[in-house]
Amino acid sequence: MSVQERKQRERAERERLIVATARELAEQQGWDAVTTRRLAERIEYSQPVLYSHFRGKREIIGAVALQGAAELATAVRAATSAADGPRARVAALARTYLDFAARNPAVYDALFQLDGGLAYAQEDTPEPLKDAFAALLETLGEVAGDGVPPGLFTEVFWAALHGLATLTRAGRLLPEDAEPRVELLVDRLAMV
C-alpha cells in the first residue's frame, strides 16, 4: 500500500468516526449538543482536523442524513422483500419506516427536519436520498392505482408516514393506536 493510499484510508476512517460520533451524540443528547468543539474533544482530534473534513455542523448533519437514507433504504427493501403480496409489502414498508423513525430520532431529524445542505427532489439530489425514495417507490408504485402517477402516490404516502412519525414522537397521538393507524393507512390510502 502506498503512502497516498494509507492517507486516504486514514482520512476516510476519520470521517466515519466524526459522523458516527456526531450521530451518537445527537441520539443521546439532541442535535444542539453536537458542536465542532465537542466532536473534536470526543474524537480526540483538533478542531482544524474536523474542519478539514466538514465545513461545519450543517455538513455533518448532511453526512448523517445520507448515512441514514442508505440505512432506511436497506431496511425498507429487506422488509418488503420478505413480505408476500402487495398489501403485506405496503404494511411492511409502513411499519419499517415508522420503526426507523422511532429508533433513530436524530438521524430522522437529520434526514427530514434539519438543514444538512442537501438538495431534495431535484436533479442534484444525492444518490442515497434518491435511493431511499426509490425503495419506497418500488413497493408503493405497484399499488398507486389507475391513472395515479406512482411517484406522486409515493410522495403522498410518504408524507402520511412522516406525519405519523412526527406526531407520534411529539406525543400527539395515542400510542395504543399505532397499529390501527398503519392498517388504516394501508387499507384506505393504498387500497390493498
Side-chain angles (χ1 to χ4, degrees):
M1 173 180 300
S2 73
V3 171
Q4 183 65 20
E5 289 172 330
R6 181 184 53 79
K7 286 183 178 185
Q8 287 175 341
R9 188 188 74 238
E10 289 171 353
R11 179 172 176 75
E13 288 172 5
R14 259 192 323 271
E15 193 165 299
R16 279 191 295 275
L17 177 62
I18 293 166
V19 172
T21 304
R23 182 176 174 166
E24 178 185 327
L25 187 57
E27 291 293 0
Q28 291 171 352
Q29 299 177 32
W31 278 105
D32 287 342
V34 179
T35 64
T36 53
R37 179 179 172 190
R38 187 177 251 169
L39 283 174
E41 289 171 2
R42 284 217 175 180
I43 64 172
E44 298 178 345
Y45 283 99
S46 67
Q47 281 185 283
V49 169
L50 194 138
Y51 282 116
S52 74
H53 291 273
F54 300 98
R55 283 183 281 189
K57 183 176 176 176
R58 181 178 185 222
E59 284 189 4
I60 294 168
I61 290 169
V64 170
L66 294 176
Q67 187 181 75
E71 292 170 9
L72 178 60
T74 298
V76 165
R77 285 189 176 109
T80 57
S81 70
D84 188 31
R87 187 188 189 293
R89 282 191 290 278
V90 173
L93 180 149
R95 288 184 190 102
T96 300
Y97 184 97
L98 295 170
D99 182 59
F100 180 88
R103 285 184 301 104
N104 304 285
V107 173
Y108 193 82
D109 285 349
L111 268 165
F112 302 120
Q113 305 286 12
L114 301 173
D115 178 10
L118 304 173
Y120 285 78
Q122 299 174 23
E123 282 197 30
D124 61 340
T125 297
E127 275 309 309
L129 298 178
K130 288 180 182 178
D131 190 51
F133 185 79
L136 301 176
L137 180 63
E138 290 161 11
T139 294
L140 296 171
E142 71 179 285
V143 300
D146 293 337
V148 179
L152 180 62
F153 180 78
T154 300
E155 287 175 346
V156 171
F157 198 92
W158 170 31
L161 288 174
H162 176 69
L164 289 176
T166 303
L167 291 170
T168 299
R169 184 164 140 207
R172 302 293 198 270
L173 301 174
L174 295 172
E176 60 268 19
D177 289 338
E179 187 57 28
R181 275 189 215 96
V182 169
E183 294 297 319
L184 183 61
L185 185 63
V186 171
D187 291 340
R188 297 291 172 91
L189 188 57
M191 291 197 249
V192 288

